[in-house]
């Protein structure tokens, strides 16, 4: 997810601006979440090391540095990608304890603009007529369990090649107001117990939710009018991503995958997406859990990747998302061939629980 660049800490702004101009074009959609959390974890490690070695006053300042844990601006997402690359180069590995294997690939399938608005309308109707999303009360948490995998450039012995993490389980908890959270993801966390997302902004204040880092409470206040919602998305994400239309599509995709929108908003998101130019249908798509479905997608001409939202063909339930390379491109000197899966995710469980780290099975 991307966020307002003004929330970025001044210490990183000049450097990240330079990185943005150099590498933003090559960052495929769908990889922002992974890079965001890698940056989050590495900043956390740096802060802890500085806090252990610095005098008390300096240590206090260190704890007030931003974690960028929940939402990153486009610049920070790019910076995160560069940090991951540097880690790969320095360590001769993938930067964490999760083994890497061959790059994931898939059949491209056929994309067609015919029927995209009709399919999104059907999905919207199904979302509105199905079981209503439960309301999230004060003190409760949204729990999301997913299966994810990411493809990246790995450098060993001076040679670079594409590699992918094996499919792993990702668990996240976020409070209704967005100020408390926890993440367990072996592709991100060195500690198998995970790490906190309950961190303040750069001024030490509780994080303020926005479109790119929404809380449930924030989502309850959003308009459900598709025209007004799309206008808000374009306005608040201006200057982010590779194009306004692609960024709008990615923003909605993040809301579908990384939050639990109230029922009326959830239905409205699909009608809003139908108004974005360039949206297509891919009749055959498979999520990270191997479930077949139909995808609503949009091609990012700059990165050459197609961002896909995958739905069950019969029930139209949202299954997950993925980013598939459609045009041959180069990233850090390595060729990304058509059919390369840059990122894939499947939602397994999404629920409301009463405590952090509680799962639906443990609460029953």
């Amino acid at each position: 997810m991307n966020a307002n660049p003004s929330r970025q800490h001044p210490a990183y702004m000049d450097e990240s601006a330079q990185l943005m101009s150099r590498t933003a074009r090559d960052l495929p959609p769908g990889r922002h979440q992974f890079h965001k959390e890698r940056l989050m974890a590495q900043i956390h490690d740096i802060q802890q090391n500085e806090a252990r070695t610095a005098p008390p006053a300096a240590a206090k300042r260190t704890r007030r540095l931003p974690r960028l844990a929940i939402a990153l601006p486009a610049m920070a997402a790019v910076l995160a990608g560069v940090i991951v690359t540097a880690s790969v180069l320095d360590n001769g590995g993938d930067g964490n304890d999760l083994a890497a294997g061959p790059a994931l690939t898939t059949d491209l399938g056929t994309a067609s603009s015919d029927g995209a608005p009709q399919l999104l309308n059907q999905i919207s109707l199904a979302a509105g007529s199905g079981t209503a999303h439960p309301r999230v009360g004060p003190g409760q948490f949204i729990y999301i369990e997913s299966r994810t995998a990411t493809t990246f450039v790995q450098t060993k012995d001076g040679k670079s090649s594409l590699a992918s993490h094996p499919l792993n389980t990702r668990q996240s908890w976020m409070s209704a107001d967005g100020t408390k959270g926890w993440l367990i993801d072996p592709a991100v966390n060195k500690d198998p117990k995970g790490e906190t997302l309950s961190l303040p902004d750069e001024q030490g204040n509780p994080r303020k939710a926005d479109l790119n880092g929404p809380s449930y409470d924030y989502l309850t206040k959003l308009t459900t009018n598709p025209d007004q919602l799309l206008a808000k998305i374009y306005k608040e994400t201006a200057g982010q991503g590779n194009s306004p239309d692609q960024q709008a599509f990615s923003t909605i995709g993040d809301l579908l995958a990384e939050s639990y929108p109230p029922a009326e908003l959830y239905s409205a998101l699909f009608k809003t997406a139908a108004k974005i130019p360039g949206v297509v249908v891919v009749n055959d798509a498979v999520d990270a859990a191997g479930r077949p479905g139909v995808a609503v997608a949009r091609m990012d001409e700059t990165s050459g990747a197609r961002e896909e939202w995958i739905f069950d063909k019969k029930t139209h339930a949202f299954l997950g998302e993925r980013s598939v390379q459609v045009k041959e491109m180069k990233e850090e000197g390595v060729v990304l061939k058509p059919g390369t899966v840059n990122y894939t995710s499947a939602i397994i469980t999404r629920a409301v629980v009463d405590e952090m780290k509680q799962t639906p099975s443990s609460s029953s």
Side-chain angles (χ1 to χ4, degrees), residues 14-91:
D14 293 340
E15 181 182 4
S16 62
Q18 295 172 8
L19 294 171
M20 180 70 170
S21 63
R22 201 163 59 237
T23 62
R25 296 187 304 275
D26 299 323
L27 187 62
R31 295 181 68 188
H32 290 177
Q33 182 68 20
F34 171 77
H35 291 325
K36 174 185 70 178
E37 290 161 352
R38 289 290 295 135
L39 176 60
M40 171 192 74
Q42 293 196 17
I43 289 176
H44 180 50
D45 290 343
I46 291 171
Q47 290 174 350
Q48 286 191 325
N49 289 335
E50 290 179 350
R52 284 194 293 267
T53 59
K60 181 178 293 187
R61 289 195 299 272
T62 299
R63 287 195 294 270
R64 293 173 66 85
L65 288 174
R67 278 281 304 284
L68 305 178
I70 308 301
L72 283 181
M75 288 185 196
V78 174
L79 176 61
V82 174
I83 286 178
V84 171
T85 302
S87 176
V88 171
L89 292 171
D90 291 344
N91 298 334

Side-chain angles (χ1 to χ4, degrees), residues 5 35 76 78 94 146 157-158 211 236 340 343 353:
H35 291 325
V78 174
D94 61 359
S146 57
D157 301 324
L211 258 181
E236 296 194 12
T340 300
Y343 174 80
V353 295

Side-chain angles (χ1 to χ4, degrees), residues 327-339:
K327 293 183 178 180
E328 184 171 300
M329 304 285 282
K330 276 191 175 182
E331 181 175 338
E332 302 162 37
V334 177
V335 175
L336 293 172
K337 295 181 179 180

